[in-house]
Amino acid sequence: MPYLSNDQGTNNFIIAFNVEFNYLSGSNIRLALLTRNTQAYRLAKDTDSYFKNYFGLTESSNKRNTLGPNRLFMPFPVNSIKYGLYNHLPTTQLDDFFKREFSKIILDAMFNEKIDNELILTLAFYLNVGFIKALNLAQQFNGRLPLRAYPEVSCIKAKFLESEIALNEITREIMNGTHVTFPKWLMNWVDLCEDFISKQLEQVNNFFEVQYKVERFINQSLSLTPEEVDLLRYIVEQSLRKYHDEKEI
C-alpha cells in the first residue's frame, strides 16, 4: 500500500498505523492512523484525497452492496470511506510498533490474493505456528513447546481431519524451516515475534501471557469469529502435537 509505505509526503506524518478486517455493515477494512496533533488536519485531508482518488480508479466502483441474510444493518457503499466510526484504544509504544509492522505483514501476505474465509484462516494458521516458531527461538526450548489443552468438539475435529495432512505439512515446514526457506512476509513475522517476545518477557516473564496477547492481535486484525478462533486454536494445537510426536519417535 503506497500510502503507508512511501518515505515522502504524508507518510512522514504517520507515527503508527493499524489495519483490521471488519464485517459490521458489510465487509470492510478499519484503518487507524496515529499522528501528532499539529499534523492531524493535514493527514486527514491528504488521506481523504488519496482514497477518493484511489476508489475512483478501481474496477469495482459501480458494484453495489446488498443486505445479506440475518443482517440488521445495511452495508457501507462500495469504495467509500467513513471517519470516526470506532475508537482506537491507546496502547504502549511497543504494542503500536508491533501492530504497525504486523499490518505491513498482513498486506504483504495478501498482496494480489483473492481474499476469502479460507485464505484468512490459512493465514491465521501460518501466523500462529510462526509465533510458536519464534517463541522456540526466543526461549531456546529443548523439549516440547508449551501447549494448552482444548476440549475436542466433534464438528471442530471433523474440520481438522479434512485438512490434517496439509496442516501437518505446513507445521513441519515452519518449525523445521529457516529464513532462507520462508517467504519474505513469514520471515518478517517470525523476526517481529521473536523481538516482541524478548521485550515482553522482560516485563511480564510469562510466555502464556505473551502468547495470548499475540493471538488477540491476530484475531482482531483478521476479524475472526469466536467459532473460527476455537477452530484455529484446535488445529494449531493438534498440528503442533503431531509435530512433536513425530520428533520423539
PDB file of all heavy atoms in Angstrom, residues 33 69 78 89 113 121 183 213 242:
ATOM      1  N   LEU A  33      -4.798   5.623  12.064  1.00  0.00           N
ATOM      2  CA  LEU A  33      -3.544   6.347  11.856  1.00  0.00           C
ATOM      3  C   LEU A  33      -3.226   7.173  13.090  1.00  0.00           C
ATOM      4  O   LEU A  33      -4.094   7.884  13.616  1.00  0.00           O
ATOM      5  CB  LEU A  33      -3.640   7.266  10.634  1.00  0.00           C
ATOM      6  CG  LEU A  33      -3.996   6.610   9.304  1.00  0.00           C
ATOM      7  CD1 LEU A  33      -4.196   7.674   8.225  1.00  0.00           C
ATOM      8  CD2 LEU A  33      -2.919   5.624   8.881  1.00  0.00           C
ATOM      9  N   PRO A  69     -28.341 -12.143   4.311  1.00  0.00           N
ATOM     10  CA  PRO A  69     -29.250 -12.841   5.235  1.00  0.00           C
ATOM     11  C   PRO A  69     -28.809 -12.633   6.682  1.00  0.00           C
ATOM     12  O   PRO A  69     -27.619 -12.570   6.981  1.00  0.00           O
ATOM     13  CB  PRO A  69     -29.111 -14.311   4.803  1.00  0.00           C
ATOM     14  CG  PRO A  69     -27.786 -14.391   4.120  1.00  0.00           C
ATOM     15  CD  PRO A  69     -27.593 -13.065   3.451  1.00  0.00           C
ATOM     16  N   VAL A  78     -19.964   0.494  -1.642  1.00  0.00           N
ATOM     17  CA  VAL A  78     -18.668   0.012  -2.130  1.00  0.00           C
ATOM     18  C   VAL A  78     -17.754   1.196  -2.419  1.00  0.00           C
ATOM     19  O   VAL A  78     -18.198   2.245  -2.889  1.00  0.00           O
ATOM     20  CB  VAL A  78     -18.862  -0.841  -3.402  1.00  0.00           C
ATOM     21  CG1 VAL A  78     -17.533  -1.174  -4.052  1.00  0.00           C
ATOM     22  CG2 VAL A  78     -19.618  -2.112  -3.064  1.00  0.00           C
ATOM     23  N   LEU A  89      -8.264   2.248  20.817  1.00  0.00           N
ATOM     24  CA  LEU A  89      -7.816   2.370  22.202  1.00  0.00           C
ATOM     25  C   LEU A  89      -6.315   2.613  22.275  1.00  0.00           C
ATOM     26  O   LEU A  89      -5.538   2.019  21.515  1.00  0.00           O
ATOM     27  CB  LEU A  89      -8.180   1.105  22.986  1.00  0.00           C
ATOM     28  CG  LEU A  89      -9.669   0.771  23.064  1.00  0.00           C
ATOM     29  CD1 LEU A  89      -9.884  -0.541  23.803  1.00  0.00           C
ATOM     30  CD2 LEU A  89     -10.433   1.897  23.742  1.00  0.00           C
ATOM     31  N   GLU A 113      -3.784 -11.537  -3.679  1.00  0.00           N
ATOM     32  CA  GLU A 113      -4.532 -12.756  -3.362  1.00  0.00           C
ATOM     33  C   GLU A 113      -6.030 -12.458  -3.372  1.00  0.00           C
ATOM     34  O   GLU A 113      -6.458 -11.347  -3.034  1.00  0.00           O
ATOM     35  CB  GLU A 113      -4.135 -13.285  -1.977  1.00  0.00           C
ATOM     36  CG  GLU A 113      -2.696 -13.754  -1.860  1.00  0.00           C
ATOM     37  CD  GLU A 113      -2.457 -15.089  -2.513  1.00  0.00           C
ATOM     38  OE1 GLU A 113      -3.446 -15.745  -2.915  1.00  0.00           O
ATOM     39  OE2 GLU A 113      -1.286 -15.496  -2.626  1.00  0.00           O
ATOM     40  N   LEU A 121      -8.260 -17.849   7.231  1.00  0.00           N
ATOM     41  CA  LEU A 121      -7.979 -18.883   8.227  1.00  0.00           C
ATOM     42  C   LEU A 121      -6.615 -19.532   7.988  1.00  0.00           C
ATOM     43  O   LEU A 121      -5.898 -19.852   8.940  1.00  0.00           O
ATOM     44  CB  LEU A 121      -9.077 -19.945   8.212  1.00  0.00           C
ATOM     45  CG  LEU A 121     -10.365 -19.577   8.940  1.00  0.00           C
ATOM     46  CD1 LEU A 121     -11.439 -20.639   8.705  1.00  0.00           C
ATOM     47  CD2 LEU A 121     -10.122 -19.402  10.436  1.00  0.00           C
ATOM     48  N   PRO A 183       8.919 -17.515   2.867  1.00  0.00           N
ATOM     49  CA  PRO A 183       8.591 -16.315   2.093  1.00  0.00           C
ATOM     50  C   PRO A 183       8.913 -15.091   2.937  1.00  0.00           C
ATOM     51  O   PRO A 183       8.945 -15.156   4.174  1.00  0.00           O
ATOM     52  CB  PRO A 183       7.089 -16.451   1.817  1.00  0.00           C
ATOM     53  CG  PRO A 183       6.585 -17.404   2.843  1.00  0.00           C
ATOM     54  CD  PRO A 183       7.719 -18.332   3.154  1.00  0.00           C
ATOM     55  N   LYS A 213      -1.585 -12.446  24.105  1.00  0.00           N
ATOM     56  CA  LYS A 213      -1.590 -11.094  23.552  1.00  0.00           C
ATOM     57  C   LYS A 213      -1.441 -11.122  22.034  1.00  0.00           C
ATOM     58  O   LYS A 213      -2.170 -10.436  21.303  1.00  0.00           O
ATOM     59  CB  LYS A 213      -0.456 -10.272  24.177  1.00  0.00           C
ATOM     60  CG  LYS A 213      -0.526  -8.786  23.900  1.00  0.00           C
ATOM     61  CD  LYS A 213       0.510  -8.045  24.739  1.00  0.00           C
ATOM     62  CE  LYS A 213       0.255  -6.554  24.720  1.00  0.00           C
ATOM     63  NZ  LYS A 213       1.185  -5.814  25.602  1.00  0.00           N
ATOM     64  N   LYS A 242       1.197 -33.250  16.827  1.00  0.00           N
ATOM     65  CA  LYS A 242       1.633 -34.220  15.818  1.00  0.00           C
ATOM     66  C   LYS A 242       3.094 -34.005  15.477  1.00  0.00           C
ATOM     67  O   LYS A 242       3.873 -34.967  15.361  1.00  0.00           O
ATOM     68  CB  LYS A 242       0.767 -34.068  14.564  1.00  0.00           C
ATOM     69  CG  LYS A 242       1.143 -34.983  13.410  1.00  0.00           C
ATOM     70  CD  LYS A 242       0.845 -36.430  13.709  1.00  0.00           C
ATOM     71  CE  LYS A 242       1.063 -37.297  12.486  1.00  0.00           C
ATOM     72  NZ  LYS A 242       0.799 -38.728  12.749  1.00  0.00           N
TER      73      LYS A 242
END
